[in-house]
Amino acid sequence: MEAHRLAAIEKNIWQTFQSLPKNEQGRLGPKAVRYVVHSYFAKTHGWLIQGLEPHGMRTNVTEVHEVSILQDKAPALVEALLENQQSDRGLALGEVVTMIAVLERLIFDESMELLDRKSTRLNSSH
């Protein structure tokens, strides 16, 4: 992954990460990680990713678009990354940054595939 992209994500979430309660190792628990990831995508891209919203969280953002192109991939990926939570290990800042970067890349790649398929269909119908 590009170092400057990871640095930009870290800069974007650093303040939120610092403000949330952490365990004894200075790591975030599952609810806090979901909050950071959810907030990043809502603030940066205006996306609400189903399955990532913190439980019970309501958002009043007017320019938010639901991202469902990943279907079940994003929540499954997040759950896999959060498996460490069972041992109360939590996620450090760098791990949260990596999770966001991977999800962002998945979303962009899948979006490009969808656009390419639509473009191909449009071109073949003419």
Side-chain angles (χ1 to χ4, degrees):
M1 270 177 238
E2 301 171 23
H4 74 279
R5 185 72 202 126
L6 294 174
I9 293 169
E10 183 173 327
K11 181 180 177 185
N12 187 296
I13 69 168
W14 187 86
Q15 191 170 10
T16 303
F17 183 91
Q18 295 302 321
S19 70
L20 292 168
K22 294 166 202 66
N23 64 18
E24 308 78 46
Q25 295 86 30
R27 296 166 174 266
L28 295 180
K31 286 183 181 179
V33 170
R34 285 180 190 277
Y35 177 79
V36 171
V37 174
H38 177 81
S39 295
Y40 172 82
F41 285 111
K43 182 170 66 172
T44 305
H45 300 294
W47 299 342
L48 276 183
I49 302 176
Q50 294 178 345
L52 291 183
E53 60 276 281
H55 299 293
M57 182 180 159
R58 300 238 185 251
T59 184
N60 292 333
V61 181
T62 55
E63 299 219 4
V64 173
H65 306 283
E66 287 192 20
V67 177
S68 57
I69 58 169
L70 289 174
Q71 297 167 350
D72 294 328
K73 292 180 191 174
L77 175 62
V78 172
E79 289 305 319
L81 291 169
L82 291 177
E83 276 183 8
N84 295 337
Q85 303 303 325
Q86 304 209 351
S87 63
D88 292 329
R89 183 172 167 258
L91 293 181
L93 178 62
E95 294 167 320
V96 177
V97 168
T98 301
M99 179 190 306
I100 289 171
V102 168
L103 287 171
E104 198 168 50
R105 175 55 46 205
L106 278 171
I107 292 167
F108 286 144
D109 288 350
E110 193 154 326
S111 296
M112 293 307 295
E113 287 177 31
L114 286 171
L115 288 172
D116 190 42
R117 278 185 282 196
K118 284 185 178 195
S119 174
T120 302
R121 272 189 253 140
L122 285 173
N123 289 334
S124 65
S125 67
H126 284 82

